[in-house]
Amino acid sequence: MGSISCPHFAIFPFLSPGHTIPLLYLSRLLRRRSVVVTLFTTAGNSPRIRASLQDIDVSIVELPFPQNIEGVPPGVENTDKLSFESSFLPFTRATEQMQESFEKALETLQPPASYVVSDSFLWWTLKSAQKIGVPRLGFFGTGNFSTTMYQILGRFRPHAGADSVDEPFSMTDFPEIQLTRNDFQPPFGDINPSGPSVEFMMDSMIALGMSNGLIVNSFYELESRYTDYWNKNLGPKA
């Protein structure tokens, strides 16, 4: 009788505590179901992750973090070490330089990876998953409500008629929800948002739209209305 091979999840959290912790928990849930898990990070983040997962069998692969990034202090490999908000985008963009080392490590996994689960900020990992022919699942550390509201704002522009940043407007398809432009992180509440942050989010959302699914840090009963709306009108399936 032939043995049934277990799926192998290659998990790559963004290098930030609020993004990493939920994926460490996901790793635990998968191991309870005898799924093989390999977690990707950097040498600077590895000690905390190893300490958190020391009681379970998860492989941890350390990838080199790019050096000499303009706007990011040397040696910083996690957003909790960034002193200035202006460093966040250069730090996030720098992760794109990790694509080659990620792909080399991904290709050598045994057993081969069945899925790539990666933070939506690591949008370029979609290309890596496509290269080895496995599905990519994006990850959002926030719940379905906020992600849905941001998508509605960008797609349907319900705020376009608001004269000031404090003027309430109703959200498309959710008329009972009234928000203001100030409720959204700048510059996304602008009528016509632009700039490097918007370009980065566009990269992330385009890659997510081409992915095979979305894992959300929530549970269905809490946000069923927004999950159903996302799955019917936006996607990929959460």
Side-chain angles (χ1 to χ4, degrees):
M1 189 173 175
S3 62
I4 299 172
S5 62
C6 292
H8 185 175
F9 277 70
I11 299 181
F12 197 166
F14 180 62
L15 309 172
S16 183
H19 295 246
T20 300
I21 292 168
L23 286 179
L24 298 185
Y25 182 59
L26 176 65
S27 301
R28 288 184 172 277
L29 295 178
L30 291 170
R31 285 300 297 140
R32 283 185 204 165
R33 289 156 179 78
S34 301
V35 172
V36 180
V37 175
T38 299
L39 205 132
F40 290 84
T41 189
T42 68
N45 290 282
S46 177
R48 282 192 287 187
I49 288 175
R50 290 182 190 278
S52 173
L53 299 178
Q54 61 183 333
D55 58 323
I56 62 169
D57 181 21
V58 170
S59 298
I60 296 169
V61 175
E62 297 177 5
L63 304 175
F65 190 76
Q67 301 299 306
N68 305 316
I69 309 157
E70 189 175 344
V72 178
V76 170
E77 296 185 11
N78 195 291
T79 62
D80 67 353
K81 299 287 194 297
L82 295 176
S83 304
F84 303 102
E85 196 173 326
S86 59
S87 299
F88 181 80
L89 193 61
F91 178 91
T92 307
R93 282 295 192 189
T95 66
E96 295 164 18
Q97 298 176 41
M98 301 171 71
Q99 184 174 346
E100 185 179 350
S101 60
F102 176 59
E103 288 171 4
K104 282 182 180 174
L106 204 55
E107 287 167 358
T108 62
L109 291 185
Q110 290 298 329
S114 317
Y115 299 90
V116 169
V117 177
S118 56
D119 195 285
S120 292
F121 281 3
L122 305 175
W123 62 271
W124 46 270
T125 54
L126 170 67
K127 299 176 184 177
S128 306
Q130 289 172 334
K131 277 187 182 177
I132 63 166
V134 301
R136 184 251 180 166
L137 304 173
F139 170 74
F140 274 149
T142 50
N144 268 113
F145 171 76
S146 62
T147 52
T148 297
M149 293 302 118
Y150 267 98
Q151 280 292 85
I152 287 174
L153 191 82
R155 290 193 185 199
F156 305 119
R157 304 179 73 246
H159 60 318
D163 293 327
S164 79
V165 293
D166 296 312
E167 181 183 338
F169 55 87
S170 294
M171 295 301 288
T172 307
D173 295 330
F174 296 92
E176 76 287 2
I177 296 178
Q178 292 221 323
L179 298 173
T180 71
R181 286 159 55 193
N182 260 340
D183 288 320
F184 295 88
Q185 184 176 349
F188 298 99
D190 295 350
I191 302 297
N192 294 297
S194 62
S197 297
V198 176
E199 291 163 13
F200 172 73
M201 286 309 298
M202 285 292 291
D203 286 340
S204 300
M205 295 311 296
I206 289 168
L208 179 65
M210 297 169 65
S211 297
N212 301 81
L214 171 66
I215 295 175
V216 182
N217 185 24
S218 185
F219 58 96
Y220 180 73
E221 290 77 8
L222 179 68
E223 302 188 290
S224 55
R225 187 180 178 206
Y226 308 107
T227 306
D228 291 343
Y229 181 89
W230 176 278
N231 288 344
K232 183 180 177 185
N233 300 287
L234 301 170
K237 186 178 180 182

